């Protein structure tokens, strides 16, 4: 959960050529795909997030990456960046998009932004990387609307009747449909993640799932097959299965539960499994770039994740970790990565690191330096 952390929209001046509880058994995953030159369309099953038409499971280990740096420029990561990501061992990228770059006014589409995105998708595809489109990336203020176009923003109310996610539900469905319409036939798009860390109070999970009903139906009106990810409030809130009575899309096929797992297992927390009485995930956590990790808390990592796994299993949804990470200077950095990755592997869950690079490689989560050289700890991600 990065609720209090604003995205550093990089001073990206890169050139286009640079770049506790009992453990449950992991779900049966079937044969794992070998590397292939061409990408094939994937779909979701109740236990696996990414499967091809032959039933072969594809392991999508990804990094988050920002493909657009300036709404009015086509500068973006070069082919060598995506080739390097693939060569390092990643099989996918989660592309972080900012709605205000694409739809500056209600009536206008910024085709420069769409062109840049198309270039990025094609380069990822050419490298053999699948793409998850983080389509409306909510973060920052007010109430997650830092990158919501001015015309589409809502004014949050003290009583919580209006929250940041209302901007998406009221004004953003057209943007989601436009993206879906453009990419409905692209096999490199493994899934849409329509709303990053939706700003809806953790006590309003039924309303959140009602919102997702509208979001899923809007996308399905343009794209009937590409998988769609659902996230809990702020990416890591506890959602009771009873709230799913509000989730009534026209189709529940090809859906994935996506969690942002920054939990560090703080033993001083009085919260059960890292969630407070309102179901909100513990904060602060390593998503702030400075909070560290004590390896003595390893068992708590599993206890926290199991809450999400149990709920998803009850709803026949596979799980994918859309974000996790820890700041480069934080205590226990390397061990945190090792323990998280070991946990994910034991559960048969794939994941994405936050992030490839920001601020010319100086961002706290960056896997590369300013010259795009991989940092030594990246090998722990595999």
């Amino acid at each position: 959960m990065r609720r209090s952390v604003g995205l550093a929209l990089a001073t990206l001046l890169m050139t286009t050529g640079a770049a506790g509880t009992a453990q449950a058994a992991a779900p049966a995953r079937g044969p794992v795909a070998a590397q292939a030159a061409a990408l094939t369309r994937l779909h979701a099953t109740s236990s696996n997030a990414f499967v091809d038409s032959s039933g072969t499971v594809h392991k999508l280990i990804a990094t988050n990456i920002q493909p657009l740096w300036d709404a009015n420029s086509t500068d973006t990561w070069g082919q060598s960046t995506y080739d390097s990501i693939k060569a390092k061992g990643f099989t996918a990228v989660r592309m972080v998009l900012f709605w205000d770059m694409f739809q500056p006014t209600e009536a206008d589409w910024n085709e420069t932004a769409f062109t840049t995105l198309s270039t990025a998708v094609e380069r990822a595809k050419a490298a053999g990387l699948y793409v998850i489109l983080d389509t409306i990336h909510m973060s920052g203020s007010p109430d997650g609307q830092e990158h919501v176009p001015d015309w589409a923003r809502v004014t949050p109310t003290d009583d919580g009747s209006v929250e940041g996610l209302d901007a998406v539900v009221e004004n953003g469905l057209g943007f989601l449909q436009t993206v879906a319409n453009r990419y409905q036939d692209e096999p490199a798009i493994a899934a849409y993640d329509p709303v990053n860390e939706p700003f809806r109070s953790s006590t309003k999970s039924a309303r959140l799932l009602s919102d997702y009903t509208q979001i899923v139906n809007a996308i399905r009106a343009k794209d009937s097959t590409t998988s769609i990810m659902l996230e809990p409030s702020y990416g890591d809130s506890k959602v009771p299965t009873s709230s799913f009575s509000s989730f009534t899309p026209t189709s529940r096929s090809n859906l994935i539960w996506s969690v942002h797992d920054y939990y560090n297992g703080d033993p001083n927390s009085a919260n059960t499994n890292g969630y407070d009485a309102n179901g909100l995930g513990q904060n602060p956590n390593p998503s702030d770039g400075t909070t560290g990790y004590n390896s003595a808390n390893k068992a708590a990592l599993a206890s926290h994740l199991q809450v999400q796994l149990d709920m998803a299993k009850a709803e026949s949804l596979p799980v994918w970790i859309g974000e996790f990470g820890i700041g480069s200077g934080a205590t226990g950095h390397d061990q945190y990565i090792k323990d998280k990755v070991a946990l994910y592997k034991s559960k048969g869950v794939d994941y994405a690191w936050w992030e490839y690079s920001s601020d010319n490689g100086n961002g706290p989560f960056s896997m590369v330096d300013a010259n795009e050289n991989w940092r030594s700890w990246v090998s722990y991600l595999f």
Side-chain angles (χ1 to χ4, degrees), residues 10-169:
T11 53
L12 284 167
L13 302 177
M14 302 93 169
T15 65
T16 55
T21 53
Q23 299 273 332
R29 294 177 63 82
V32 176
Q35 289 189 4
L39 300 181
T40 185
R41 182 172 286 278
L42 304 180
H43 66 274
T45 68
S46 62
S47 57
N48 291 297
F50 303 105
V51 184
D52 66 25
S53 60
S54 68
T56 299
V57 176
H58 289 245
K59 290 180 62 62
L60 294 200
I61 309 302
T63 176
N64 283 267
I65 190 169
Q66 297 178 36
L68 276 73
W69 311 333
D70 185 325
N72 300 309
S73 171
T74 57
D75 283 351
T76 187
W77 299 102
Q79 185 64 56
S80 62
T81 293
Y82 293 100
D83 292 343
S84 178
I85 291 171
K86 177 66 174 180
K88 192 64 180 177
F90 293 97
T91 52
V93 290
R94 179 175 179 259
M95 291 188 174
V96 179
L97 308 183
F98 300 126
W99 177 15
D100 55 354
M101 289 188 173
F102 292 86
Q103 194 179 9
T105 70
E106 186 171 9
D108 294 324
W109 298 111
N110 179 9
E111 290 300 332
T112 299
F114 280 105
T115 296
T116 306
L117 176 59
S118 293
T119 298
V121 170
E122 286 302 315
R123 288 176 179 172
K125 181 180 179 181
L129 293 164
Y130 281 100
V131 175
I132 292 90
L133 290 178
D134 168 14
T135 316
I136 296 180
H137 191 95
M138 299 201 77
S139 65
S141 297
D143 218 34
Q145 298 179 92
E146 180 180 358
H147 299 292
V148 170
D150 290 342
W151 65 267
R153 290 186 179 187
V154 296
T155 302
T157 57
D158 291 339
D159 64 3
S161 59
V162 179
E163 298 179 290
L165 185 58
D166 290 306
V168 176
V169 178

Side-chain angles (χ1 to χ4, degrees), residues 173-174 176-177 180 213-223:
L173 300 184
L176 294 173
Q177 287 189 319
T213 296
Q214 296 184 62
I215 290 167
V216 170
N217 284 344
I219 293 172
R220 285 288 175 249
K222 300 296 181 180
D223 184 338

Side-chain angles (χ1 to χ4, degrees), residues 50 56 96-97 105 119 158 178 182 186 198 201 228 238 248 255 262 284 352:
F50 303 105
T56 299
V96 179
L97 308 183
T105 70
T119 298
D158 291 339
T178 297
R182 292 180 184 230
E186 177 50 71
S201 299
I228 300 172
K238 182 179 180 180
T248 57
L255 299 177
Y262 291 96

Side-chain angles (χ1 to χ4, degrees), residues 20-24 263 265 272-274 296-306 343 347:
T21 53
Q23 299 273 332
Y263 184 58
T272 303
N273 297 328
N297 303 338
K298 180 178 178 180
L301 305 185
S303 177
H304 184 77
L305 179 62
Q306 196 63 46
L343 172 62
K347 299 297 185 179

